[in-house]
Amino acid sequence: MTAVLTTPHVDEQSELRQRTEPERSWQAVVWDDPVNLMSYVTHVFREYFGLPRAEAERLMLAVHNEGHAVVAEGMREQMELHVQAMHDYGLWATVRQAPQ
């Protein structure tokens, strides 16, 4: 017995429509904590993110005065890496979807 392979019929007139929604950005958020010094938080932002001193201090003051600061925004996987790095430095951090 011989197997016969056939190709399926493809309707070339049909159009595939793919609904694409723009991907929402994600944010890495650092939260205020009672443990880390402001100078240390500034140091972490400068060392890990490569920020200039003024930007690192601005973010640190937002963490201190407002309770949190968005330190990065982008693809979820990258934000998860940033949050893990912040945890490795001893900072409290989470990932959240950016508002639309």
Side-chain angles (χ1 to χ4, degrees):
M1 185 183 244
T2 305
V4 178
L5 296 176
T6 60
T7 57
H9 173 69
V10 177
D11 181 3
E12 294 182 20
Q13 298 299 321
S14 66
E15 183 178 324
L16 294 176
R17 292 185 185 164
Q18 184 178 26
R19 182 177 175 202
T20 57
E21 295 181 14
E23 283 193 38
R24 287 181 64 185
S25 287
W26 292 80
Q27 296 175 331
V29 181
V30 173
W31 299 88
D32 193 21
D33 66 56
V35 178
N36 292 298
L37 298 173
M38 293 188 297
S39 59
Y40 177 70
V41 175
T42 301
H43 165 76
V44 169
F45 293 165
R46 292 193 72 205
E47 182 174 293
Y48 179 76
F49 292 107
L51 297 174
R53 180 179 301 278
E55 179 66 9
E57 287 176 349
R58 185 190 70 75
L59 289 171
M60 173 276 298
L61 287 172
V63 170
H64 180 71
N65 295 324
E66 300 168 28
H68 70 284
V70 174
V71 294
E73 188 168 325
M75 300 291 290
R76 181 179 182 138
E77 293 79 13
Q78 185 62 49
M79 296 308 102
E80 289 172 352
L81 291 173
H82 290 326
V83 165
Q84 182 58 54
M86 295 300 99
H87 292 171
D88 293 345
Y89 279 102
L91 302 183
W92 292 354
T94 57
V95 173
R96 70 178 183 196
Q97 273 194 314
Q100 286 186 332

